[in-house]
């Protein structure tokens, strides 16, 4: 039995939920998506889609031209010290030899691209906006979800399986693991925004400047305007403070004034980059604590499984949260091709990913690829004339090799791996 008599239910219409819906549609599995927000719109700032995720988006039938409309192909990843001197750089995406690019995109625009594609392929009747999944009940025939609409109506829906892609505050995860620790905040505060600016270095470089505890990260998410030469530059300004008393600022995401944080970056003018000027050019700035959750032993409970941020909320230091949600969806689809639309498929998915990606969560909590900044800061306070006197290129290359391997996008392994889902694969409905 494949379990195809009832649709797969998906809690959450974000990146992970929509990637799952598109994957299930591709392999012939009916599904319904339930999203708490009544009206979806383009929200957020920049994210990176690593080559492993871009490969899967291509395999889903998304065109390169569609991605170019919402971002740029990243060409370089670089770290710079407090005095403006280079620490480390490496090519990214096609420039590094991957068969697929790395894209720096506007998160909201990418979300809406997935949303439009899902509506076109699945039909509007498969997407329930303003429907928040508040709980589930496992039973022999599948799963029943409890839903609250934006009009406060209580509903129930039956399905074969539930894929809970309902984010870091996941209701399904809380039911599955009622004793899980609260959200973890390590003390880092991020201010995020976008500003017009001239792209530097390669013109498509992701740059981290400063120390692990006091830095700015920036990269373009649009090509330069032909007339002005200005691109949309996504930036994240960050400091780390004492977190002993926990997050005390109320909202997890709120609009703030420049004066609330600009003083932390006073004097950061390097000629090739004037940080206060870049930050001041933003229309809106939002403040976030950098948060994640402790990994759990399993993402599965009977006919229910977690996916994306509901399964593995992680610090953005590795720029791979959204990419991993896409890969999650594809691995889940592959498991259904092998095991049918059954609890066995969820068990296989959990076995393949839970332990491995939980390790990435902890690596990102320990600074992820920005751990190089930790080492340089410990050795010289991040101020130096020649980085070779502080940390060798060989040592940094090995550090990055280990991270890329753990995160699932080491180039040689990815380039040589077969597709997660072979073209034309369909779940047998017999």
């Amino acid at each position: 039995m494949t379990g195809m008599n009832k649709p797969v239910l998906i809690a959450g219409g974000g990146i992970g939920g929509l990637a799952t819906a598109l994957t299930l549609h591709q392999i012939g599995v009916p599904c319904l998506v339930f999203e708490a927000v009544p009206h979806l719109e383009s929200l957020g700032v920049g994210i990176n889609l690593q080559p492993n995720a871009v490969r899967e988006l291509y395999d889903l039938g998304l065109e390169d031209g569609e991605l170019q409309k919402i971002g740029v192909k990243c060409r370089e990843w670089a770290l710079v010290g407090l005095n403006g001197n280079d620490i480390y750089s490496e090519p990214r995406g096609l420039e590094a030899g991957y068969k697929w690019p790395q894209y720096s995109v506007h998160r909201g625009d990418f979300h809406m691209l997935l949303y439009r594609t899902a509506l076109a392929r699945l039909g509007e009747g498969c997407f329930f906006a303003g429907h928040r999944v508040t709980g589930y009940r496992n039973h022999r025939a599948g799963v029943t979800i409890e839903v609250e609409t934006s009009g406060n109506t209580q509903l129930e829906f039956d399905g074969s399986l539930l894929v809970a892609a309902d984010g870091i505050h996941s209701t399904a995860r809380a039911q599955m693991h009622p004793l899980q620790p609260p959200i973890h905040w390590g003390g880092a505060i991020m201010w995020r925004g976008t500003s017009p600016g001239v792209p530097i270095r390669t013109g498509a470089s992701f740059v981290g400047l400063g120390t692990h505890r006091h830095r700015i990260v920036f990269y373009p998410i649009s090509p330069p305007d032909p007339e002005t030469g200005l691109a949309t530059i996504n930036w994240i300004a960050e400091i780390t403070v004492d977190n002993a008393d926990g997050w005390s600022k109320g909202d997890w995401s709120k609009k703030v004034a420049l004066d609330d944080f600009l003083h932390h970056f006073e004097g950061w003018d390097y000629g090739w980059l004037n940080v206060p000027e870049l930050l001041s050019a933003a229309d809106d700035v939002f403040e976030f604590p950098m948060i994640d959750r402790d990994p759990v032993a399993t993402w599965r409970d009977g006919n229910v499984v977690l996916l994306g941020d509901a399964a593995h909320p992680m610090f953005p230091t590795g720029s791979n949260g959204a990419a991993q949600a896409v890969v999650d969806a594809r691995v889940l689809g592959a498991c259904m091709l092998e095991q049918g639309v059954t609890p066995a498929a969820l068990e296989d998915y959990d076995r393949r990913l839970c332990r491995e990606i939980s390790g990435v969560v902890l690596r990102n909590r320990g600074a992820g690829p920005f751990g190089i900044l930790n080492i340089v800061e410990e050795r010289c306070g991040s101020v130096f004339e020649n980085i070779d006197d502080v940390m060798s290129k060989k040592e940094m290359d090995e550090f990055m090799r280990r991270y890329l391997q753990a995160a699932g996008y080491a180039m040689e392994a990815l380039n040589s791996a077969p597709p997660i889902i072979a073209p034309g694969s369909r779940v047998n409905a017999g």
Side-chain angles (χ1 to χ4, degrees), residues 347-376:
E347 183 177 3
D348 191 18
Y349 160 85
D350 189 53
R351 178 187 58 79
R352 293 190 195 188
L353 290 183
C354 181
R355 182 175 179 180
E356 177 182 340
I357 303 307
S358 293
V360 177
V361 171
L362 297 179
R363 279 179 178 266
N364 281 359
R365 185 180 289 186
F370 286 96
I372 290 175
L373 292 181
N374 280 349
I375 297 171
V376 173

Side-chain angles (χ1 to χ4, degrees), residues 108-227:
D109 291 349
F110 175 58
H111 182 202
M112 295 307 293
L113 171 61
L114 294 180
Y115 177 57
R116 291 192 301 271
T117 305
L119 290 187
R121 295 184 187 178
L122 281 71
E124 294 190 8
C126 292
F127 193 92
F128 294 78
H131 285 61
R132 181 188 302 276
V133 177
T134 59
Y136 64 83
R137 299 193 306 275
N138 272 305
H139 44 79
R140 182 175 298 179
V143 64
T144 299
I145 60 170
E146 300 152 7
V147 174
E148 181 178 304
T149 71
S150 54
N152 295 320
T153 301
Q154 309 300 315
L155 303 172
E156 290 191 348
F157 293 81
D158 291 329
S160 56
L161 304 171
L162 169 63
V163 180
D166 50 345
I168 191 170
H169 302 289
S170 169
T171 299
R173 178 174 170 135
Q175 180 174 339
M176 191 179 297
H177 298 284
L179 300 180
Q180 68 175 339
I183 286 176
H184 169 262
W185 174 52
I189 304 173
M190 301 181 293
W191 295 276
R192 307 191 66 161
T194 60
S195 301
V198 177
I200 64 167
R201 299 176 71 100
T202 67
S205 294
F206 179 113
V207 181
L209 187 156
T211 72
H212 174 53
R213 298 176 62 85
H214 188 190
R215 68 172 182 249
I216 178 170
V217 172
F218 58 97
Y219 50 90
I221 56 174
S222 79
D225 182 275
E227 295 184 5

Side-chain angles (χ1 to χ4, degrees), residues 72-421:
V72 297
K73 293 177 180 177
C74 183
R75 300 178 59 194
E76 180 193 39
W77 189 85
L79 298 176
V80 179
L82 273 178
N83 59 353
N85 291 342
D86 275 18
I87 292 176
Y88 179 81
S89 66
E90 64 178 21
R92 281 296 174 100
L94 299 176
E95 301 278 331
Y98 285 94
K99 294 180 180 179
W100 305 271
Q102 174 177 329
Y103 265 99
S104 301
V105 303
H106 187 284
R107 184 202 178 281
D109 291 349
F110 175 58
H111 182 202
M112 295 307 293
L113 171 61
L114 294 180
Y115 177 57
R116 291 192 301 271
T117 305
L119 290 187
R121 295 184 187 178
L122 281 71
E124 294 190 8
C126 292
F127 193 92
F128 294 78
H131 285 61
R132 181 188 302 276
V133 177
T134 59
Y136 64 83
R137 299 193 306 275
N138 272 305
H139 44 79
R140 182 175 298 179
V143 64
T144 299
I145 60 170
E146 300 152 7
V147 174
E148 181 178 304
T149 71
S150 54
N152 295 320
T153 301
Q154 309 300 315
L155 303 172
E156 290 191 348
F157 293 81
D158 291 329
S160 56
L161 304 171
L162 169 63
V163 180
D166 50 345
I168 191 170
H169 302 289
S170 169
T171 299
R173 178 174 170 135
Q175 180 174 339
M176 191 179 297
H177 298 284
L179 300 180
Q180 68 175 339
I183 286 176
H184 169 262
W185 174 52
I189 304 173
M190 301 181 293
W191 295 276
R192 307 191 66 161
T194 60
S195 301
V198 177
I200 64 167
R201 299 176 71 100
T202 67
S205 294
F206 179 113
V207 181
L209 187 156
T211 72
H212 174 53
R213 298 176 62 85
H214 188 190
R215 68 172 182 249
I216 178 170
V217 172
F218 58 97
Y219 50 90
I221 56 174
S222 79
D225 182 275
E227 295 184 5
T228 66
L230 300 178
T232 301
I233 307 297
N234 180 79
W235 54 261
I236 307 102
E238 179 187 325
I239 65 169
T240 299
V241 300
D242 184 359
N243 66 337
D245 295 328
W247 183 252
S248 59
K249 296 192 175 187
D251 293 342
W252 292 99
S253 169
K254 65 177 180 179
K255 187 183 295 188
V256 297
L258 278 166
D259 290 344
D260 289 350
F261 71 99
L262 193 60
H263 59 281
H264 292 296
F265 301 91
E266 185 178 355
W268 285 37
D269 183 356
Y270 302 96
W272 52 271
L273 174 69
N274 185 320
V275 173
E277 188 176 274
L278 176 68
L279 305 186
S280 298
D283 289 333
D284 295 312
V285 178
F286 294 88
E287 181 181 78
F288 302 81
M290 188 184 290
I291 54 177
D292 67 2
R293 284 191 183 275
D294 290 346
V296 289
T298 181
W299 298 343
R300 174 182 170 250
D301 174 20
N303 298 312
V304 181
V305 78
L306 306 177
L307 184 143
D309 281 351
H312 47 70
M314 61 181 76
F315 286 1
T317 49
S319 300
N320 55 347
Q324 186 58 51
V326 173
V327 173
D328 289 353
R330 304 297 287 168
V331 172
L332 179 59
C335 292
M336 289 188 185
L337 285 168
E338 294 180 12
Q339 307 281 354
V341 186
T342 65
L346 305 189
E347 183 177 3
D348 191 18
Y349 160 85
D350 189 53
R351 178 187 58 79
R352 293 190 195 188
L353 290 183
C354 181
R355 182 175 179 180
E356 177 182 340
I357 303 307
S358 293
V360 177
V361 171
L362 297 179
R363 279 179 178 266
N364 281 359
R365 185 180 289 186
F370 286 96
I372 290 175
L373 292 181
N374 280 349
I375 297 171
V376 173
E377 183 178 10
E378 289 170 1
R379 294 179 182 177
C380 69
S382 197
V383 176
F384 53 88
E385 291 299 323
N386 187 346
I387 189 60
D388 291 336
D389 297 331
V390 181
M391 188 176 183
S392 71
K393 180 69 161 53
K394 180 179 179 180
E395 184 181 359
M396 287 187 274
D397 284 344
E398 176 60 19
F399 183 99
M400 288 301 299
R401 185 195 67 78
R402 292 196 304 269
Y403 181 80
L404 294 177
Q405 184 177 33
Y409 51 97
M411 184 180 67
E412 295 82 1
L414 181 62
N415 281 352
S416 62
I420 293 177
I421 294 177

